[in-house]
């Protein structure tokens, strides 16, 4: 009782209201602003890049108290960017950010468009795959935070490292072998999150070997879940209707759904919508996606003829 009283007094002393963890995987700017100084909260700013003077978006202004972990730190090598970081590197990153099972984690992205949301969804998925569960994304990212008139800080934040060790949850990760088995036995719904031109084989990722899609996959672009401007997700009920319009069966109980794209970026948005917003069970992300699959010689649909592929290669080489 004394410990509880002390905690309440401490909260009052710094102007806090004790609340439960965020109830949803998406948190709005107004709600996050009320929780900024919660001792269990960690805001993780994943914005990449720098201006001409070499200053990062984080240095120029971020959510007060946020730590910085650019998106590139959560990704694989250039020839296979969808690959998860090695367990030791992921553990080192999580420890540096002071994250553990009790931490409320809010991922903050730029909020530019639907593609940018994919970076937050991919980091969210990575955190969950590493065993962390108390997770949210700032809906609309920094764009929404600033539009709401919320404060910015330029303080470079460091925190006490944690001792958390990442342990991959296989229920969230689809391996190439698992996807190949699913294709062979038709045991999973395969959803290609890429824009239609990738799905049709009209273009390919620079690191992919062959254009086209995984055999039997359905195309549901990651962008369908967003309203005008493309930086904030639609309300849950509109998302459910959108899923139905795009031929996605919900409430399938034990059936597995695998989301993929080129490098597990756009696919993270589809995974997030189905798993976290709609609460579907057995939704997996294939992180290496088409970059790995296209080099494996495994079954594909919509593969164009050799002449079209040659012209595509020349076009990509000229970019």
């Amino acid at each position: 009782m004394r410990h509880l009283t002390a905690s309440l007094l401490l909260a009052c002393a710094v102007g806090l209201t004790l609340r439960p963890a965020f109830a949803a995987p998406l948190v709005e700017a107004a709600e996050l602003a009320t929780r900024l100084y919660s001792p269990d909260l960690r805001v993780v700013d994943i914005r990449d890049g720098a201006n001409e003077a070499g200053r990062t978006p984080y240095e120029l202004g971020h959510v007060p108290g946020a730590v910085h972990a650019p998106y590139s730190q959560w990704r694989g090598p250039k020839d296979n960017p969808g690959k998860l970081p090695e367990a030791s590197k992921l553990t080192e990153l999580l420890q540096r950010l002071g994250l553990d099972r009790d931490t409320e984690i809010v991922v903050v992205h730029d909020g530019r468009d639907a593609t940018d949301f994919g970076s937050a969804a991919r980091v969210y998925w990575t955190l969950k795959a590493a065993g962390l569960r108390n997770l949210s994304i700032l809906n609309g990212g920094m764009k929404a935070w600033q539009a709401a008139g919320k404060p910015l800080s330029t303080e470079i934040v460091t925190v006490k490292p944690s001792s958390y060790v990442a342990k991959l949850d296989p229920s969230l990760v689809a391996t190439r072998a698992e996807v190949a088995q699913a294709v062979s036995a038709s045991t999973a719904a395969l959803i290609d999150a890429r824009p239609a031109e990738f799905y049709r084989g009209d273009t390919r990722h620079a690191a992919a070997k062959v254009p086209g899609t995984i055999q039997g996959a359905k195309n549901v672009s990651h962008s369908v879940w967003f309203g005008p401007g493309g930086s904030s997700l639609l309300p849950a009920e509109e998302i459910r209707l959108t899923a139905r319009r795009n031929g996605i069966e919900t409430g399938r109980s034990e059936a597995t759904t695998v989301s993929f794209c080129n490098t597990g970026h756009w696919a993270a948005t589809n995974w997030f919508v189905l798993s976290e917003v709609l609460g579907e069970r057995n939704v997996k992300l294939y992180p290496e996606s088409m970059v790995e699959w296209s080099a494996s010689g495994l079954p594909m649909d919509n593969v164009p003829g050799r002449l079209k592929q040659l012209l595509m290669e020349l076009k990509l080489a000229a970019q």
Side-chain angles (χ1 to χ4, degrees), residues 249-269:
E249 297 180 41
T250 56
R252 299 189 328 136
S253 185
E254 300 304 318
T256 298
T257 299
V258 176
S259 179
F260 71 94
C261 57
N262 287 318
T263 66
H265 176 104
W266 288 324
T269 295

Side-chain angles (χ1 to χ4, degrees), residues 33 36-37 62-64 142 145 149-153:
L36 281 184
Y37 302 102
H62 53 264
V63 174
M142 284 300 297
W145 181 263
K150 301 305 178 185
L152 295 176
S153 172

Side-chain angles (χ1 to χ4, degrees), residues 73-133:
Q73 297 181 2
W74 304 88
R75 301 287 274 164
K78 186 175 181 179
D79 62 346
N80 192 5
K83 186 177 181 180
L84 276 163
E86 296 295 331
S88 59
K89 289 188 177 181
L90 185 54
T91 292
E92 181 182 349
L93 177 58
L94 300 183
Q95 289 182 352
R96 177 178 68 79
L97 298 174
L99 307 180
D100 59 33
R101 292 186 188 278
D102 296 324
T103 310
E104 293 180 61
I105 304 167
V106 177
V107 180
V108 175
H109 58 301
D110 257 316
R112 291 188 305 274
D113 51 29
T115 289
D116 186 59
F117 182 89
S119 61
R122 174 62 191 241
V123 171
Y124 180 111
W125 173 82
T126 303
L127 291 166
K128 190 167 185 177
L132 300 172
R133 290 294 184 268

Side-chain angles (χ1 to χ4, degrees), residues 53-301:
R55 299 189 69 194
T56 66
Y58 176 83
E59 291 172 321
L60 293 171
H62 53 264
V63 174
V67 292
H68 193 209
Y71 183 51
S72 56
Q73 297 181 2
W74 304 88
R75 301 287 274 164
K78 186 175 181 179
D79 62 346
N80 192 5
K83 186 177 181 180
L84 276 163
E86 296 295 331
S88 59
K89 289 188 177 181
L90 185 54
T91 292
E92 181 182 349
L93 177 58
L94 300 183
Q95 289 182 352
R96 177 178 68 79
L97 298 174
L99 307 180
D100 59 33
R101 292 186 188 278
D102 296 324
T103 310
E104 293 180 61
I105 304 167
V106 177
V107 180
V108 175
H109 58 301
D110 257 316
R112 291 188 305 274
D113 51 29
T115 289
D116 186 59
F117 182 89
S119 61
R122 174 62 191 241
V123 171
Y124 180 111
W125 173 82
T126 303
L127 291 166
K128 190 167 185 177
L132 300 172
R133 290 294 184 268
N134 201 350
L135 307 169
S136 298
I137 293 173
L138 176 60
N139 198 19
M142 284 300 297
K143 180 180 176 181
W145 181 263
Q146 292 179 272
K150 301 305 178 185
L152 295 176
S153 172
T154 56
E155 178 187 1
I156 306 302
V157 178
T158 57
V159 295
K160 180 181 178 181
S162 74
S163 57
Y164 185 77
V165 176
K167 185 177 181 181
L168 200 63
D169 181 353
S171 72
L172 300 176
V173 185
T175 66
R176 184 180 64 186
E178 288 174 333
V179 177
Q181 175 61 28
V183 170
S184 176
S186 299
T187 54
L190 304 173
I191 300 181
D192 187 336
R194 299 175 299 169
E197 58 266 30
F198 286 95
Y199 175 78
R200 294 192 305 258
D202 293 335
T203 189
R204 64 170 173 82
H205 189 279
K209 186 174 182 181
V210 181
T213 191
I214 297 175
Q215 187 179 85
K218 177 194 298 287
N219 185 212
V220 181
S221 172
H222 69 106
S223 62
V224 301
W225 315 110
F226 295 84
S231 58
S232 297
L233 284 177
L234 294 167
E237 190 51 43
E238 290 187 45
I239 283 177
R240 192 172 299 279
L241 292 173
T242 300
R244 192 175 305 148
R245 284 196 298 267
N246 283 274
I248 296 178
E249 297 180 41
T250 56
R252 299 189 328 136
S253 185
E254 300 304 318
T256 298
T257 299
V258 176
S259 179
F260 71 94
C261 57
N262 287 318
T263 66
H265 176 104
W266 288 324
T269 295
N270 281 11
W271 171 86
F272 181 85
V273 164
L274 295 174
S275 174
E276 308 303 279
V277 177
L278 297 183
E280 292 295 297
R281 300 174 61 186
N282 302 316
V283 184
K284 293 190 172 191
L285 175 68
Y286 177 23
E288 291 90 346
S289 288
M290 289 307 301
V291 166
E292 179 184 68
W293 187 268
S294 66
S296 67
L298 290 164
M300 291 180 60
D301 288 336

